[in-house]
Amino acid sequence: MTPWDIADRPRRRVGRGLELHDEIPSTNDRARELLAEPDGEGRAVVAEVQTAGRGRRGRTWTSPGGVNLAVSVGLQPRLSTGDAWQLAAAAALAAWDACNRFAPVTLKWPNDVVADFDGAKVGGILIETTLDGERVAEAVIGIGLNLNWARRDMPAELAGATSLAELAGGPVDRGEVLDGLLDALDDEIVALEAGHTPRDRYRAACSTLGREVELETGEGRIHGRAVDIDERGELVLETSDGTVHVASGEIARLRTAVPA
Amino acid sequence: MADQDPVLRAIDLLTPAFEESGLDELEVEADDLKVRLARPRAAVAEAPALAPTVAAPEAAQPAPVAPDRLTPFGEPSPGMRFVSAPLTGVWYAAPSPGARAYVAEGDEIHDGQVVGLIEAMKLFNEIKADASGKVHRILVESGTLVKRKQPILEIDPR
């Protein structure tokens, strides 16, 4: 028996079997390896501890064993390069849906799951794709969620983070969260491959919209009011210099817009 | 068709004069059409080259104008060809900070080889070369924004 057994059910595209590890360098790397193996596509790789877990641009993703959820799935999606961003929106919506069954959360652009009431981070998503011209050849979706990690036990560098248990007021069943996550992600990928964009639902779940944000783009900071997600997944900001569409960036500061 | 779109036609007409003018911004208004050309500031995520922005009444602009249709990237040097960005995002020449770059000028690369990453919405996309040859020039600095169809490498094909 493992905490994850409840999630081991047949599905269409995502979560077609579980592969469990006590410790592994990276669930994303393993999910990518599985794409080269028979029936490896869609298998969910879950690890208690990652020794080389990745965050954005070389940041490490650390988590103690036994309290959180780190899962990756590799796919060869039927998706064009221009629609690759929809994978990020679909994965974010699946994580949002799975967490919302336990406590109110929203999405911070592009794909952080955050507490509804104070914006503290519950989890994040890292997707790695291989593009082959105009189509997405391979995609690995990695999702990390803080579940039963007490805030007081988190390291100092995670100030501003929280966990689903903190928001729910008590421990959550990690297997149930994984089960809900894989179901939701399976539904999202099936819909995506059938040509249904997650854009409208993503906009509805994204609490960044309507707020004043400071965005770190790597080429400097932009300040403006987030007003939309465009048809390419870019965040649309109204700035003092006009409308700006941002494909990549990290929100450095976010506050509720002052009513005009 | 692009040449029938009044907004695009106006931009085509104004861009050469704007490029030579040294102005940071040029705004022209005629009837219900308003076109503003502006050079991007470092802090604004627009194309690294001249980036026109368009403001026109909703009725006159039924669909958003894709910036990549407005940004000319020129032609490769004689005998060379470009490897271009398949999507808009931040270009990374190496798999992680401090790691060795996927390719360097002078390297021989082959069709299908990974030459870099483009990140958009925390989605890291491996970019593959679509031809074999020798890397003649790397046209984009790592960490900067690239637009869809913008050339990243110039290669001497074999």
Side-chain angles (χ1 to χ4, degrees), chain A:
Chain A
M1 287 288 288
T2 79
W4 314 110
D5 289 350
I6 188 178
D8 195 1
R9 295 189 290 106
R11 294 183 182 84
R12 293 162 292 179
R13 298 285 286 128
V14 173
R16 300 165 66 197
L18 303 184
E19 184 178 291
L20 307 178
H21 297 265
D22 287 335
E23 186 175 302
I24 196 173
S26 155
T27 53
N28 263 30
D29 288 351
R30 177 59 189 149
R32 177 177 286 213
E33 283 173 8
L34 280 172
L35 283 172
E37 297 180 12
D39 298 323
E41 185 186 12
R43 186 174 293 253
V45 180
V46 178
E48 291 290 358
V49 173
Q50 293 185 89
T51 54
R54 288 192 295 280
R56 196 161 184 260
R57 287 308 292 161
R59 290 177 199 165
T60 53
W61 193 83
T62 55
S63 164
V67 293
N68 293 329
L69 169 60
V71 57
S72 297
V73 179
L75 291 170
Q76 285 150 343
R78 292 183 289 275
L79 200 63
S80 70
T81 293
D83 290 336
W85 71 270
Q86 295 182 9
L87 278 173
L93 280 167
W96 169 81
D97 182 54
C99 290
N100 253 328
R101 300 176 193 195
F102 296 87
V105 295
T106 65
L107 295 176
K108 185 174 97 170
W109 185 88
N111 50 24
D112 281 346
V113 179
V114 299
D116 189 29
F117 81 100
D118 68 351
K121 184 168 173 174
V122 176
I125 294 164
L126 183 75
I127 302 180
E128 297 168 294
T129 74
T130 303
L131 303 178
D132 187 3
E134 286 301 309
R135 71 181 187 93
V136 179
E138 292 182 350
V140 175
I141 300 170
I143 300 175
L145 298 173
N146 297 333
L147 298 186
N148 292 325
W149 203 4
R151 243 176 166 161
R152 64 176 180 276
D153 295 334
M154 293 180 185
E157 64 266 25
L158 291 187
T162 189
S163 68
L164 205 54
E166 294 277 3
L167 302 177
V172 297
D173 185 315
R174 294 192 299 153
E176 280 186 29
V177 178
L178 177 62
D179 191 41
L181 176 64
L182 294 177
D183 280 350
L185 192 55
D186 192 43
D187 288 345
E188 291 289 349
I189 297 301
V190 168
L192 201 61
E193 292 184 323
H196 304 296
T197 175
R199 181 180 168 211
D200 286 346
R201 290 180 298 111
Y202 178 84
R203 283 193 287 200
C206 181
S207 55
T208 305
L209 298 182
R211 295 191 174 188
E212 296 284 336
V213 300
E214 255 184 54
L215 200 67
E216 179 62 58
T217 67
E219 298 179 332
R221 286 195 174 191
I222 305 172
H223 178 263
R225 183 165 178 267
V227 294
D228 202 4
I229 306 293
D230 72 14
E231 71 281 1
R232 290 172 301 187
E234 297 180 7
L235 185 65
V236 184
L237 293 180
E238 280 179 356
T239 75
S240 55
D241 293 327
T243 302
V244 177
H245 296 242
V246 185
S248 173
E250 185 140 339
I251 292 172
R253 190 177 298 171
L254 183 144
R255 65 173 187 269
T256 304
V258 178

Side-chain angles (χ1 to χ4, degrees), chain B residues 39-95:
Chain B
R39 294 181 197 281
R41 298 170 305 140
V44 176
E46 288 285 359
L50 178 70
T53 58
V54 179
E58 291 290 326
Q61 190 186 354
V65 179
D68 55 77
R69 288 170 58 198
L70 309 178
T71 310
F73 295 119
E75 297 295 324
S77 308
M80 304 288 170
R81 62 169 291 172
F82 287 146
V83 174
S84 300
L87 76 172
T88 299
V90 174
W91 166 255
Y92 292 108

Side-chain angles (χ1 to χ4, degrees), chain B residues 120-158:
Chain B
M121 286 187 79
K122 285 194 197 173
L123 197 130
F124 288 84
N125 302 281
E126 283 187 349
I127 307 304
K128 291 179 174 177
D130 56 0
S132 300
K134 187 174 184 178
V135 178
H136 184 239
R137 284 192 301 159
I138 296 174
L139 305 165
V140 179
E141 195 177 330
S142 188
T144 59
L145 187 85
V146 293
K147 288 284 186 184
R148 178 172 148 82
K149 295 186 179 174
Q150 180 179 337
I152 298 166
L153 308 177
E154 187 178 63
I155 65 172
D156 185 356
R158 300 296 152 111

Side-chain angles (χ1 to χ4, degrees), chain B residues 4 7-8 19-20 36 88 102 113 132 134 138 142:
Chain B
Q4 293 174 330
V7 175
L8 292 180
E19 281 180 322
E20 291 172 12
R36 176 173 159 265
T88 299
Y102 287 100
Q113 180 176 335
S132 300
K134 187 174 184 178
I138 296 174
S142 188

